[in-house]
Amino acid sequence: MHALARLLAATPLAAAIAAAPASALAQEQKKAGAIYSCVVNGRTVVLDRPIPECASKEQRILNSDGSTRGLRTPELTSDERAAMEAKQQEEALARAQQREAIRRDRNLLARFPNQKAHDKAREAALDSLRTGIKASEQRLAALEKERKPLQDETEFYVGKQLPAKLKQQIDANDATTEAQRSLVANQKAEMVRVTKLYDEELERLRKLWSGAQPGSMGIIASPEAPASAPAKPKAAKP
């Protein structure tokens, strides 16, 4: 018996197909160009189109002689489709991060071919911050001197309301002093941050200088500002 005939005879559709004229069946098979087969409730179902009952299953695609042409993958549920898209996005992000890690490692090697170049950049960055801290501390000392005569003058008004001008001078001195103290604290915190960034860069560079491939050490954290280009602190205006 013909291979396809044996396959069709095993299905619930066998009687209907057998009743159709042989020429009509041949024309339909030729028109469809493929035959789909799968098992439903223990029975093999064969159709000339994708089988709806097997949408969630794998379907065999057959040639007219009953041989397997290929497989039709199951249709995904909405949850499966969402999971697949999420996985694809994660994989795309990982590839992008890897490319970025390679780019940054290559840039590091280009900027710092040796430790001497890196140490020089570190000192330049820290010197800029030290200069800013020194200027702020000098300004604080000047504000303290300015405050002393103002404070002395308030002794003449014990138990009385301070003159408006004197009060404004004291308030302005207090505000400027507070701003300078905050600036010094920020500058010192920036020194800690920049030092940490250069330490991490140096550790990575040592591996790259030793032959590690760019990007092989994983993703590089993105700092708010590159260690090699620190922001120059600005002194607050009095």
Side-chain angles (χ1 to χ4, degrees):
M1 183 182 291
H2 194 280
L4 179 58
R6 289 199 302 272
L7 181 61
L8 293 175
T11 73
L13 301 177
I17 295 176
S23 59
L25 178 60
Q27 291 176 359
E28 183 62 23
Q29 291 174 348
K30 182 178 181 181
K31 180 180 178 181
I35 301 169
Y36 296 83
S37 171
C38 76
V39 177
V40 179
N41 296 327
R43 295 183 177 182
T44 301
V45 177
V46 177
L47 286 179
D48 58 358
R49 59 187 179 278
I51 303 168
E53 295 85 353
C54 297
S56 61
K57 301 179 180 180
E58 190 174 74
Q59 300 182 46
R60 293 174 61 206
I61 304 175
L62 309 175
N63 294 309
S64 59
D65 62 358
S67 60
T68 299
R69 177 188 297 185
L71 295 174
R72 186 176 190 272
T73 57
E75 296 179 5
L76 299 177
T77 64
S78 58
D79 289 343
E80 290 172 337
R81 193 159 42 248
M84 182 185 69
E85 291 173 355
K87 182 179 180 181
Q88 290 173 342
Q89 290 176 355
E90 289 178 0
E91 292 173 348
L93 177 60
R95 290 192 296 270
Q97 290 175 331
Q98 177 64 13
R99 290 194 296 269
E100 179 66 6
I102 293 172
R103 184 188 69 80
R104 290 193 180 189
D105 280 347
R106 287 174 176 171
N107 285 344
L108 274 179
L109 284 171
R111 293 201 310 271
F112 307 119
N114 50 54
Q115 185 167 344
K116 182 178 179 180
H118 193 259
D119 289 345
K120 182 178 180 181
R122 181 200 293 263
E123 283 307 305
L126 294 178
D127 280 346
S128 177
L129 290 168
R130 293 187 190 107
T131 299
I133 291 172
K134 183 177 180 180
S136 294
E137 289 176 339
Q138 289 174 343
R139 180 60 182 143
L140 281 171
L143 287 167
E144 186 176 357
K145 289 182 180 179
E146 293 173 7
R147 175 62 185 264
K148 189 176 185 310
L150 296 175
Q151 187 64 38
D152 291 343
E153 191 173 347
T154 62
E155 296 178 1
F156 294 102
Y157 300 96
V158 176
K160 301 179 183 180
Q161 185 175 0
L162 294 177
K165 181 178 180 181
L166 177 59
K167 187 176 186 308
Q168 289 174 355
Q169 289 175 321
I170 291 174
D171 289 345
N173 184 280
D174 287 345
T176 304
T177 298
E178 182 61 27
Q180 287 295 326
R181 285 173 177 166
S182 295
L183 181 59
V184 169
N186 290 340
Q187 290 168 329
K188 288 182 177 179
E190 180 67 1
M191 281 196 68
V192 173
R193 188 185 75 87
V194 169
T195 298
K196 181 175 182 293
L197 287 176
Y198 272 99
D199 287 344
E200 291 173 352
E201 268 190 356
L202 182 58
E203 182 180 357
R204 195 176 190 92
L205 279 165
R206 282 172 174 162
K207 294 177 182 178
L208 292 170
W209 291 330
S210 297
Q213 291 299 311
S216 62
M217 290 169 281
I219 302 169
I220 305 173
S222 298
E224 294 180 2
S228 52
K232 186 176 181 179
K234 296 181 180 179
K237 294 182 180 180

